Amino acid sequence: NIASWMIPNKLVKGMGGAMDLVAGAKNIICTMTHANKHGESKLLNECNLPLTGVGCINKVITDLALLEIKDGAFHLLECAPGVTIDEIKAKTAGNLVISDKVKTMSFE
């Protein structure tokens, strides 16, 4: 699920188009920071804001990792360079599945 809502008391330049984008797309990749400025996970078991889209996200790319969403869990595919699996575990509140084949991201 995804909720793309403004944070109270923060300036927003427009409505955006997230609802339009998630309504009919078949492959949605969300890019975001893994945690907020206090280090709290943004990857949760359950969304606590009004939903923009339900069950529509396929993959999430954060500053720490590449994750695939399936079967109600975040499946860790790749870690960012210099990031440990333990750091990703600590900053992921949602159900995290870690295989023994996790790669480090490569930028060529």
Side-chain angles (χ1 to χ4, degrees):
N1 301 332
I2 185 171
S4 61
W5 290 84
M6 64 178 256
I7 298 170
N9 302 318
K10 297 286 183 181
L11 180 63
V12 180
K13 294 187 182 217
M15 294 277 298
M19 286 184 168
D20 295 331
L21 292 173
V22 301
K26 296 193 186 318
N27 184 31
I28 298 176
I29 300 169
C30 178
T31 58
M32 58 187 276
T33 55
H34 207 97
N36 66 20
K37 65 182 177 180
H38 304 291
E40 299 164 335
S41 179
K42 291 184 176 183
L43 301 174
L44 309 173
N45 278 321
E46 186 175 311
C47 192
N48 54 16
L49 294 170
L51 296 178
T52 301
V54 176
C56 59
I57 304 297
N58 303 97
K59 290 187 178 159
V60 178
I61 301 172
T62 73
D63 50 332
L64 303 180
L66 167 62
L67 305 114
E68 182 176 26
I69 300 173
K70 60 183 180 183
D71 304 323
F74 297 100
H75 292 255
L76 180 60
L77 302 178
E78 298 181 9
C79 298
V83 176
T84 66
I85 290 175
D86 287 337
E87 182 179 0
I88 294 167
K89 281 183 193 177
K91 292 184 177 175
T92 305
N95 185 18
L96 181 63
V97 176
I98 303 168
S99 78
D100 56 353
K101 299 177 185 176
V102 176
K103 298 187 245 175
T104 299
M105 291 178 186
S106 171
F107 303 99
E108 296 176 14

